[in-house]
């Protein structure tokens, strides 16, 4: 055990955040605190870290355990180079280094044995603390969080609040406390840094407690969940997805138990009312009345759940087929050339996610398309009826400081009633008296949420969104996701939220220093095409080979299709009228060249077909494993049932016969599904083979 929480309670005014919370954490546990905003997650972190006191209860730590805490809000930093600031967290190492230096300087030309021994001990102590590897460790953490070699020599005050939060996170990770607590650590990170942090925390030699609204981050890193909601804390094993499933199962069990309680209470009430005044039944009626009172006290409460917000969002005016046409874009910052003769086209209905390392130029491209930054050379043309909205955390000038939150949204929603305005504000965490707050007193995160709400009232045909889910809880992010999925216009998106990218994007543009690659497919397609998926994934060549092998006779030629090895659009490469998807499947045709619209539609069809085939293969593999397990169990049961002595134990034999019957039915159903899926798979493969002319 590394930490134990005992009977913890905390209230503010008349509101109880949580009461009588007890749990313990083992070494290397990865715990996520989840729940709606305001439920008490950050308060619990503050209590564990010692920044706040609990009303009742206590926190116990293993002897010598150090606690490190990254708060959500920005902190002040001294004006010194980043590398020195991160190194300053290594107090023990720095003190050991100073001690070693002093001893070595005092040795002189003729050191005594005592002096040599003291210096040797100091050197050993410095080595044991990791002094000889600390600089490499600091660099590794800083580079993982997105800093470059030139950055780490610059002063901390040269960087924005978001980057200063990265510095604070680096200091904490390098310090390596036994209990590491992080409050929304991914809010100020780009996608590449989130992935790095995820891997770092998986291998972290200590216990991690995290508050996060990034579902995929939690799925890939945590192994326990503590849900803080409705004044209680409920613990679940597994990652975030496992928690959602277990929570739903738990709530369903609670509903069933409550129904039984209510039925019993009704039965008791009827008995008491019927026999309350009969002398012969008075004693029984009294006993049942007492039992009824106990049941009322023990009546199970179903956790309160917010109903999902559903709005009929106004769709934007229909634009022309080409929404944005970029040709020959050039952009440089000093000696750094970010884009050089870059071509890019967005079509109506495109939902494009820009991905890649920080500093490669994602935000620069979005700003140029949004019109807030001009390219050094080249043209950006917009299609018919194209108007755009640009959303970024640091560009919220359109908000009016003198308005209340309610007034700010109400002014852009003239056809809405008060209930609709309040509902949308509630979806973005403005509830109760919060809607009467002046815009001028809102925090940066609150202003961002309000700007998002305004955008969804009457969205423009082109949305340019830079990190829209920062400062949103999962429920609010779901509202945004719902709106963007139903949006019939065009979207250009930058986000570190992989769940949102998977849900929204149908094209991915990977921006790396010196190279831009366009993938005409969703996020999973991009991952396997760029070699980032864990586990085996089909290559283009293997997919074409499979199409050839499965294709029925008489459907066409016999030659194998070829996959284009690279169709990336690099900033330094010559301009191409229409950048192709990286690694798209291609087939030789005798017809005239395809239009861009045909290529786009074919890419979308390939994307849908790939997803369908992928799901079929996955389910077939699952059925194979299930049938293998069930057949093995069937053999075990048949071997037992063949032994006459087995039936001496009537209970055991009855259970075995019943299990055998269930397995037989399940195997029959699995085999039928397996054959059906394989037939559908072969039909789809044949269609794809015919469509691609292979």
């Amino acid at each position: 055990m590394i930490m134990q929480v005992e009977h913890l309670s905390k209230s503010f005014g008349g509101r109880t955040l949580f009461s009588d919370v007890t749990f313990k954490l083992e070494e290397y546990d990865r715990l996520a605190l989840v729940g709606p905003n305001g439920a008490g997650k950050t308060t619990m972190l503050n209590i564990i870290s010692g920044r706040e006191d609990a009303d009742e209860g206590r926190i116990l730590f293993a002897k010598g355990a150090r606690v490190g805490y990254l708060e959500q809000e920005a902190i002040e930093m001294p004006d010194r180079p980043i590398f020195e600031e991160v190194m300053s967290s290594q107090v023990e190492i720095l003190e050991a280094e100073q001690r070693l230096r002093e001893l070595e300087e005092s040795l002189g030309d003729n050191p005594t044995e005592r002096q040599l021994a003291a210096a040797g001990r100091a050197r050993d102590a410095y080595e044991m603390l990791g002094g000889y590897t600390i600089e490499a460790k600091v660099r590794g953490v800083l580079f993982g969080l997105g800093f470059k070699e030139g950055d780490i020599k610059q002063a901390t005050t040269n960087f924005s609040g978001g980057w200063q939060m990265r510095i604070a996170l680096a200091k904490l990770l390098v310090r390596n406390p036994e209990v590491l607590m992080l409050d929304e650590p991914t809010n100020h990170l780009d996608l590449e840094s989130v992935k790095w942090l995820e891997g770092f925390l998986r291998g972290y030699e200590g216990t991690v407690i995290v508050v996060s609204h990034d579902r995929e981050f939690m799925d890939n890193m945590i192994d326990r969940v503590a849900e803080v909601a409705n004044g209680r804390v409920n613990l679940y094993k597994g990652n975030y997805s496992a928690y959602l499933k277990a929570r739903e199962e738990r709530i369903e069990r609670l509903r069933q138990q409550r129904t039984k309680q209510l039925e019993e209470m009704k039965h008791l009430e009827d008995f008491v009312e019927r026999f309350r005044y009969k002398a012969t039944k008075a004693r029984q009626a009294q006993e049942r009345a007492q039992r009824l009172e106990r049941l009322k006290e023990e009546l199970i409460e179903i956790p309160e759940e917010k109903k999902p917000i559903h709005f009929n969002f106004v769709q934007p005016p229909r634009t022309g087929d080409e929404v944005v046409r970029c040709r020959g874009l050039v952009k440089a910052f000093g000696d750094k050339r970010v884009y050089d003769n870059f071509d890019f086209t967005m079509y109506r209905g495109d939902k494009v996610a820009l991905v890649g390392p920080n500093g490669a130029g994602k935000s620069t491209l979005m700003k140029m398309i949004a019109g807030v930054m001009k390219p050094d050379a080249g043209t950006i043309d917009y299609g018919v009826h194209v108007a755009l909205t640009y959303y970024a955390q640091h560009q919220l000038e359109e908000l009016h400081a003198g308005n209340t939150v309610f007034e700010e949204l109400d002014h852009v929603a003239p056809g809405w009633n008060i209930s609709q305005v309040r509902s949308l504000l509630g979806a973005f965490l403005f509830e109760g008296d919060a809607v009467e707050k002046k815009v001028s007193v809102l925090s940066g995160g609150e202003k961002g949420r309000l700007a998002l709400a305004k955008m969804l009232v009457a969205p423009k045909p082109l949305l340019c969104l830079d990190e829209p889910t920062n400062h949103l809880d999962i429920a609010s992010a779901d509202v945004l996701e719902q709106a963007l999925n139903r949006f019939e216009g065009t979207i250009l998106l930058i986000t570190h939220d992989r769940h949102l990218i998977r849900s929204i994007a149908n094209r991915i543009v990977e921006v790396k220093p010196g190279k831009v690659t366009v993938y005409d497919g969703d996020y999973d397609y991009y991952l396997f095409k760029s070699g980032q998926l864990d586990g085996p994934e089909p290559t283009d060549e293997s997919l074409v080979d499979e199409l050839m092998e499965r294709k029925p006779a008489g459907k066409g030629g016999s030659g194998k299709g070829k996959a284009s090895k690279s169709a990336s659009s690099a900033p330094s490469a010559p301009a191409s009228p229409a950048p192709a998807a990286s690694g798209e499947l291609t087939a030789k045709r005798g017809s005239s060249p395809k239009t861009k619209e045909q290529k786009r539609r074919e890419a979308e069809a390939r994307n849908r077909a790939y997803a369908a085939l992928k799901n079929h293969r996955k389910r077939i593999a699952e059925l194979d494993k299930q049938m293998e397990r069930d057949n093995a169990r069937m053999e075990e049961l048949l071997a037992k049932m063949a032994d006459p002595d087995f039936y001496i134990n009537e209970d055991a034999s009855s259970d075995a016969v019943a299990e055998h019957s269930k397995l037989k039915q399940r195997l029959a159903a699995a085999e039928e599904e397996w054959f059906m899926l394989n037939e559908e798979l072969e039909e789809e493969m044949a269609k794809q083979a015919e469509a691609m002319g292979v």
Side-chain angles (χ1 to χ4, degrees), residues 384-434:
V384 179
H385 302 308
V386 173
L388 65 85
T389 296
Y390 174 50
Y391 172 86
Q393 290 289 323
H394 58 282
Q395 290 201 337
L396 306 172
E397 292 86 357
E398 292 185 9
L399 298 177
H400 301 88
N403 284 343
T404 66
V405 170
F406 182 90
E407 290 168 344
E408 188 70 15
L409 186 62
D410 190 47
H411 286 169
V412 296
W416 289 29
N417 59 39
I418 292 175
S419 177
Q420 288 175 307
V421 174
R422 280 186 169 271
S423 293
L424 183 54
L425 287 172
F428 286 94
L429 313 182
F430 295 104
E431 297 177 319
D433 295 338

Side-chain angles (χ1 to χ4, degrees), residues 503-561:
S503 300
I504 300 301
N506 57 21
R507 294 177 75 194
I508 305 294
V509 176
E510 183 183 58
V511 183
K512 290 185 173 181
K515 182 179 181 183
V516 181
T517 310
V518 180
Y519 295 86
D520 284 329
D522 62 11
Y523 188 62
D524 286 323
Y525 178 83
Y526 153 71
L527 287 179
F528 103 76
K529 294 301 296 181
S530 58
Q532 298 181 53
L533 271 182
D534 294 330
E537 281 287 345
T539 61
D540 282 343
E541 290 84 351
S542 67
L543 184 57
V544 174
D545 290 345
E546 189 174 354
L547 290 170
M548 289 295 301
E549 291 168 6
R550 289 176 177 260
K551 184 178 176 184
K555 288 283 184 180
S558 59
K560 290 187 177 182

Side-chain angles (χ1 to χ4, degrees), residues 22-25 31 224-227 233-237 250:
T22 297
F23 65 89
K24 67 178 181 179
L25 292 178
L31 175 75
R224 297 183 70 187
V225 171
E227 180 192 54
V233 175
N234 294 300
L235 294 170
Y236 297 85
K237 289 184 178 180
R250 172 178 166 270

